[in-house]
Amino acid sequence: SYELTQPPSVSVSPGQTAIITCSGDNLGERYVSWCQQKPGQSPVLVIYRDTERPSDIPARFSGSNSGNTATLAITGAQTMDEADYYCQAWDSDTAYVFGTGTRVTVL
Amino acid sequence: EVHLVESGGGLVQPGGSLRLSCAASGFTFSMYSMNWVRQTPGKGLQWVSYIFRSSSTIHYADSVKGRFTISRDNDKNALYLQMDSLRPEDTAVYYCAREGIGSSYYMDVWGKGTTVTVSS
């Protein structure tokens, strides 16, 4: 089955850039999306189709995808960005696959 | 405003059954494919099942195949998940999630979830 691997945690100082990676075989050949989940809340889509951002998501969130790695960047991270982040892709055999998740800490 | 509201969760004994429902509003339900996704306490997201907008295509995670059945009623704007032969490892918060328009391979709207606890 297809698997997506993320680092368990990422820490960043306020105003700095947080980089979250998502790795999978030939991931660059698939569309990747990212969702944010704050404690006690439902997930929220922040990036879709590798680089697209929903209209209500701040521009400090950006995405890229190439080779075996997709990346979510939070440029100028704020304390409100502290959350768990999950990448997600579609596989023709497995259907939807989520990454293992990354906890982002801003302090 | 777009809303998804799950219901039907609760406490059930191993081997028992539950039927989850998801009520959709604020959009043309029949135009969107839908999913169920679950999250074990303190763990990550796990995709459970997918249904195409016309119900012509359905997928299940291997962990629930043969035990869970996804369905939808486009006239009632409702999504369902029939869960049979439940196991303790099925304990989780179950979310319904809308797929983006077209065959888009991402989930753009999520409900607040309903909690399923499988325990004796």
Side-chain angles (χ1 to χ4, degrees):
Chain A
S1 62
Y2 194 74
E3 296 180 352
L4 297 174
T5 302
Q6 301 178 233
S9 62
V10 167
S11 293
V12 64
S13 299
Q16 299 302 303
T17 298
I19 302 291
I20 307 160
T21 58
C22 173
S23 299
D25 287 343
N26 298 313
L27 186 56
E29 298 177 1
R30 309 165 192 261
Y31 276 132
V32 172
S33 66
W34 293 87
C35 63
Q36 174 197 69
Q37 187 179 33
K38 295 182 178 179
Q41 298 184 18
S42 307
V44 172
L45 180 71
V46 295
I47 293 289
Y48 64 100
R49 289 180 181 160
D50 296 340
T51 60
E52 301 296 315
R53 191 169 27 85
S55 58
D56 57 345
I57 299 301
R60 63 180 180 273
F61 290 88
S62 63
S64 64
N65 184 21
S66 179
N68 295 321
T69 304
T71 299
L72 174 69
I74 310 174
T75 304
Q78 302 181 11
T79 55
M80 68 175 65
D81 299 329
E82 284 200 338
D84 293 329
Y85 291 84
Y86 296 90
C87 61
Q88 174 256 303
W90 173 275
D91 176 72
S92 58
D93 293 327
T94 317
Y96 278 102
V97 180
F98 285 98
T100 49
T102 299
R103 175 150 297 177
V104 171
T105 303
V106 182
L107 50 72
Chain B
E1 189 175 356
V2 175
H3 278 298
L4 297 172
V5 179
E6 302 91 339
S7 61
L11 174 64
V12 62
Q13 292 187 341
S17 298
L18 274 180
R19 189 195 196 205
L20 305 184
S21 299
C22 172
S25 61
F27 65 100
T28 305
F29 182 70
S30 61
M31 293 182 64
Y32 291 83
S33 298
M34 298 293 296
N35 292 273
W36 287 100
V37 178
R38 69 185 181 184
Q39 186 169 35
T40 306
K43 299 291 186 180
L45 299 172
Q46 181 189 23
W47 170 80
V48 173
S49 186
Y50 160 95
I51 185 166
F52 188 67
R53 47 189 181 265
S54 67
S55 303
S56 59
T57 300
I58 286 173
H59 296 290
Y60 297 100
D62 287 344
S63 58
V64 306
K65 201 171 293 183
R67 300 187 299 122
F68 290 11
T69 303
I70 191 172
S71 62
R72 64 189 294 162
D73 186 331
N74 287 342
D75 292 332
K76 295 183 178 178
N77 293 335
L79 175 72
Y80 306 103
L81 186 68
Q82 177 66 40
M83 304 188 296
D84 299 319
S85 302
L86 282 162
R87 305 167 180 169
E89 55 264 38
D90 295 319
T91 295
V93 175
Y94 284 74
Y95 297 99
C96 89
R98 186 182 82 170
E99 185 178 81
I101 192 70
S103 297
S104 56
Y105 306 138
Y106 63 88
M107 301 176 205
D108 66 344
V109 178
W110 296 68
K112 294 189 182 302
T114 187
T115 299
V116 172
T117 303
V118 184
S119 174
S120 54

mmCIF file of all heavy atoms in Angstrom, chain A residues 15-19 59-62 73-78 81:
data_model
loop_
_atom_site.group_PDB
_atom_site.id
_atom_site.type_symbol
_atom_site.label_atom_id
_atom_site.label_comp_id
_atom_site.label_asym_id
_atom_site.label_seq_id
_atom_site.Cartn_x
_atom_site.Cartn_y
_atom_site.Cartn_z
ATOM 1 N N GLY A 15 7.753 34.380 13.297
ATOM 2 C CA GLY A 15 8.301 35.177 12.224
ATOM 3 C C GLY A 15 9.246 34.427 11.303
ATOM 4 O O GLY A 15 9.563 34.911 10.213
ATOM 5 N N GLN A 16 9.666 33.260 11.728
ATOM 6 C CA GLN A 16 10.537 32.441 10.880
ATOM 7 C C GLN A 16 9.700 31.538 9.977
ATOM 8 O O GLN A 16 8.467 31.507 10.051
ATOM 9 C CB GLN A 16 11.492 31.615 11.740
ATOM 10 C CG GLN A 16 12.424 32.475 12.599
ATOM 11 C CD GLN A 16 13.261 33.411 11.756
ATOM 12 O OE1 GLN A 16 13.986 32.994 10.861
ATOM 13 N NE2 GLN A 16 13.141 34.712 12.036
ATOM 14 N N THR A 17 10.390 30.790 9.114
ATOM 15 C CA THR A 17 9.695 29.903 8.170
ATOM 16 C C THR A 17 9.740 28.463 8.642
ATOM 17 O O THR A 17 10.818 27.924 8.914
ATOM 18 C CB THR A 17 10.328 30.006 6.774
ATOM 19 O OG1 THR A 17 10.189 31.338 6.288
ATOM 20 C CG2 THR A 17 9.643 29.041 5.807
ATOM 21 N N ALA A 18 8.548 27.862 8.729
ATOM 22 C CA ALA A 18 8.439 26.451 9.070
ATOM 23 C C ALA A 18 8.317 25.652 7.777
ATOM 24 O O ALA A 18 7.524 26.005 6.896
ATOM 25 C CB ALA A 18 7.225 26.212 9.960
ATOM 26 N N ILE A 19 9.103 24.591 7.670
ATOM 27 C CA ILE A 19 9.069 23.713 6.504
ATOM 28 C C ILE A 19 8.659 22.318 6.958
ATOM 29 O O ILE A 19 9.308 21.719 7.810
ATOM 30 C CB ILE A 19 10.431 23.640 5.808
ATOM 31 C CG1 ILE A 19 10.907 25.029 5.380
ATOM 32 C CG2 ILE A 19 10.356 22.686 4.618
ATOM 33 C CD1 ILE A 19 10.092 25.630 4.261
ATOM 34 N N ALA A 59 -1.783 33.944 2.875
ATOM 35 C CA ALA A 59 -0.761 33.757 1.846
ATOM 36 C C ALA A 59 0.562 33.241 2.401
ATOM 37 O O ALA A 59 1.432 32.815 1.635
ATOM 38 C CB ALA A 59 -0.532 35.078 1.110
ATOM 39 N N ARG A 60 0.721 33.260 3.718
ATOM 40 C CA ARG A 60 1.972 32.738 4.286
ATOM 41 C C ARG A 60 2.077 31.218 4.149
ATOM 42 O O ARG A 60 3.149 30.651 4.354
ATOM 43 C CB ARG A 60 2.134 33.143 5.757
ATOM 44 C CG ARG A 60 1.087 32.617 6.704
ATOM 45 C CD ARG A 60 1.371 33.103 8.145
ATOM 46 N NE ARG A 60 0.374 32.621 9.107
ATOM 47 C CZ ARG A 60 -0.757 33.241 9.360
ATOM 48 N NH1 ARG A 60 -1.050 34.375 8.727
ATOM 49 N NH2 ARG A 60 -1.612 32.745 10.241
ATOM 50 N N PHE A 61 0.989 30.563 3.784
ATOM 51 C CA PHE A 61 1.003 29.127 3.532
ATOM 52 C C PHE A 61 1.260 28.891 2.040
ATOM 53 O O PHE A 61 0.571 29.449 1.185
ATOM 54 C CB PHE A 61 -0.319 28.473 3.926
ATOM 55 C CG PHE A 61 -0.554 28.416 5.403
ATOM 56 C CD1 PHE A 61 -1.171 29.474 6.059
ATOM 57 C CD2 PHE A 61 -0.167 27.303 6.134
ATOM 58 C CE1 PHE A 61 -1.388 29.433 7.426
ATOM 59 C CE2 PHE A 61 -0.386 27.251 7.505
ATOM 60 C CZ PHE A 61 -0.992 28.318 8.149
ATOM 61 N N SER A 62 2.250 28.037 1.743
ATOM 62 C CA SER A 62 2.541 27.703 0.353
ATOM 63 C C SER A 62 2.983 26.253 0.257
ATOM 64 O O SER A 62 3.444 25.678 1.238
ATOM 65 C CB SER A 62 3.612 28.624 -0.228
ATOM 66 O OG SER A 62 4.828 28.463 0.468
ATOM 67 N N ALA A 73 5.220 25.123 3.374
ATOM 68 C CA ALA A 73 5.992 26.171 4.027
ATOM 69 C C ALA A 73 5.039 27.174 4.681
ATOM 70 O O ALA A 73 4.034 27.557 4.080
ATOM 71 C CB ALA A 73 6.893 26.880 3.030
ATOM 72 N N ILE A 74 5.374 27.568 5.884
ATOM 73 C CA ILE A 74 4.652 28.635 6.572
ATOM 74 C C ILE A 74 5.655 29.771 6.769
ATOM 75 O O ILE A 74 6.531 29.701 7.628
ATOM 76 C CB ILE A 74 4.087 28.172 7.921
ATOM 77 C CG1 ILE A 74 3.319 26.862 7.790
ATOM 78 C CG2 ILE A 74 3.181 29.257 8.501
ATOM 79 C CD1 ILE A 74 2.859 26.269 9.112
ATOM 80 N N THR A 75 5.543 30.787 5.918
ATOM 81 C CA THR A 75 6.504 31.887 5.924
ATOM 82 C C THR A 75 6.045 32.976 6.887
ATOM 83 O O THR A 75 4.966 33.528 6.736
ATOM 84 C CB THR A 75 6.644 32.463 4.516
ATOM 85 O OG1 THR A 75 7.014 31.411 3.608
ATOM 86 C CG2 THR A 75 7.712 33.553 4.487
ATOM 87 N N GLY A 76 6.889 33.275 7.872
ATOM 88 C CA GLY A 76 6.478 34.217 8.901
ATOM 89 C C GLY A 76 5.470 33.568 9.835
ATOM 90 O O GLY A 76 4.387 34.098 10.061
ATOM 91 N N ALA A 77 5.839 32.402 10.381
ATOM 92 C CA ALA A 77 4.914 31.628 11.211
ATOM 93 C C ALA A 77 4.432 32.434 12.417
ATOM 94 O O ALA A 77 5.191 33.208 13.015
ATOM 95 C CB ALA A 77 5.569 30.344 11.669
ATOM 96 N N GLN A 78 3.162 32.241 12.761
ATOM 97 C CA GLN A 78 2.561 32.900 13.906
ATOM 98 C C GLN A 78 2.127 31.862 14.923
ATOM 99 O O GLN A 78 1.933 30.684 14.580
ATOM 100 C CB GLN A 78 1.371 33.742 13.461
ATOM 101 C CG GLN A 78 1.723 34.797 12.424
ATOM 102 C CD GLN A 78 0.521 35.632 12.020
ATOM 103 O OE1 GLN A 78 -0.540 35.583 12.639
ATOM 104 N NE2 GLN A 78 0.686 36.429 10.967
ATOM 105 N N ASP A 81 -0.529 29.469 14.178
ATOM 106 C CA ASP A 81 -0.272 28.394 13.225
ATOM 107 C C ASP A 81 0.125 27.087 13.919
ATOM 108 O O ASP A 81 0.321 26.066 13.258
ATOM 109 C CB ASP A 81 0.829 28.799 12.244
ATOM 110 C CG ASP A 81 0.460 30.026 11.433
ATOM 111 O OD1 ASP A 81 -0.743 30.220 11.168
ATOM 112 O OD2 ASP A 81 1.371 30.809 11.081
#
